[in-house]
Amino acid sequence: VMVDRDIGILDGLDSGEYYQFRGSVSKIILATDISKHKDYLGDLQAFAARRAEDPAVEMDKQLAMELMVNCADISNVIKPAAVARRWALRVTDEFFVQGDAERAMGMDVSPSCNRLVTSRVKLQTGFIDHLAAPLFTLLAAAFPPVRNEPGETQPPREGLDALVAQLRHNRASYDHCTDLDLEKARDWGERVVVPSSLRSESLSSGQDMGSFSRQL
């Protein structure tokens, strides 16, 4: 869209403004790169510390935009449990289709993409524990609820505690969930056959987290 001359969305910008805008958008898009996750956690920790000393301090606008896209990208795990489970199935379906294609071409199957040995449930718990929970917990700490004092006209600001509570609820629900249980959330198409090794219990944490670490 940016380079489509028929649309001309950036026609009003001079050269400097154009490259500034383009650079900003590029950084926002790259915010979904998992390799940047630790950097964002560090940025959030630093901001939360500054905000604790001075509640009026504002976040850098570029960082705020990048964090919004990053959070949106992984927000499936903070949705209501029924929705989150359907997303878990769709995401792992995509992984497994990739793995099937790699196997058919005689390639090594990518980590987390082998439906024969990979637990969907363990992929979700690993994702929540190591990515989503740290990010949303820090975000909630950085932006706590704001209550109005008597006489104030500015509307109160709700915090993110409810989202973090939903995330913890979703995580806890996987503790007693097997891949076969998760499959019951599929309300589209045909049910997927769950390998017998994954029906009664998920893979051990050690097995899965090794795969998960390689994926990162």
Side-chain angles (χ1 to χ4, degrees), residues 13-215:
L13 304 181
D14 62 31
S15 177
E17 293 170 332
Y18 169 83
Y19 284 107
Q20 181 181 11
F21 176 81
R22 181 170 179 168
S24 177
V25 172
S26 296
K27 290 178 181 178
I28 292 170
I29 293 171
L30 292 174
T32 60
D33 187 338
I34 202 67
S35 67
K36 298 180 180 293
H37 187 72
K38 288 185 178 180
D39 293 336
Y40 285 125
L41 293 182
D43 292 337
L44 265 176
Q45 285 178 323
F47 175 74
R50 293 198 306 272
R51 198 177 184 87
E53 297 179 358
D54 180 9
V57 71
E58 295 185 356
M59 180 176 284
D60 174 77
K61 290 182 173 61
Q62 180 66 36
L63 175 60
M65 290 187 290
E66 292 174 23
L67 280 172
M68 283 190 283
V69 171
N70 189 6
C71 289
D73 186 50
I74 64 172
S75 64
N76 54 299
V77 292
I78 63 170
K79 298 182 187 297
V83 179
R85 288 197 173 199
R86 289 196 290 271
W87 267 106
L89 288 168
R90 291 185 183 278
V91 169
T92 50
D93 279 352
E94 182 179 334
F95 286 176
F96 293 165
V97 167
Q98 175 183 326
D100 293 344
E102 291 170 339
R103 188 181 297 105
M105 291 186 290
M107 301 170 58
D108 291 335
V109 178
S110 298
S112 304
C113 294
N114 190 340
R115 71 170 70 245
L116 302 179
V117 298
T118 302
S119 165
R120 295 177 189 256
V121 169
K122 286 298 183 182
L123 285 177
Q124 289 305 294
T125 57
F127 182 80
I128 292 173
D129 292 345
H130 295 270
L131 282 139
L135 180 64
F136 285 108
T137 301
L138 276 173
L139 202 62
F143 294 97
V146 174
R147 307 302 181 196
N148 274 356
E149 297 295 332
E152 287 187 345
T153 58
Q154 187 173 353
R157 185 187 68 216
E158 295 185 5
L160 302 176
D161 293 344
L163 295 181
V164 174
Q166 181 65 58
L167 176 64
R168 290 172 178 165
H169 170 78
N170 292 345
R171 172 61 179 86
S173 73
Y174 285 122
D175 285 339
H176 306 288
C177 177
T178 66
D179 280 37
L180 190 60
D181 294 329
L182 180 59
E183 191 61 39
K184 295 173 184 176
R186 189 183 298 275
D187 56 2
W188 69 94
E190 296 183 3
R191 294 284 172 88
V192 173
V193 175
V194 177
S196 58
S197 61
L198 302 177
R199 289 183 183 180
S200 59
E201 60 182 0
S202 300
L203 294 178
S204 69
S205 298
Q207 287 175 301
D208 179 69
M209 289 318 301
S211 172
F212 188 77
S213 299
R214 289 193 296 274
Q215 182 185 9

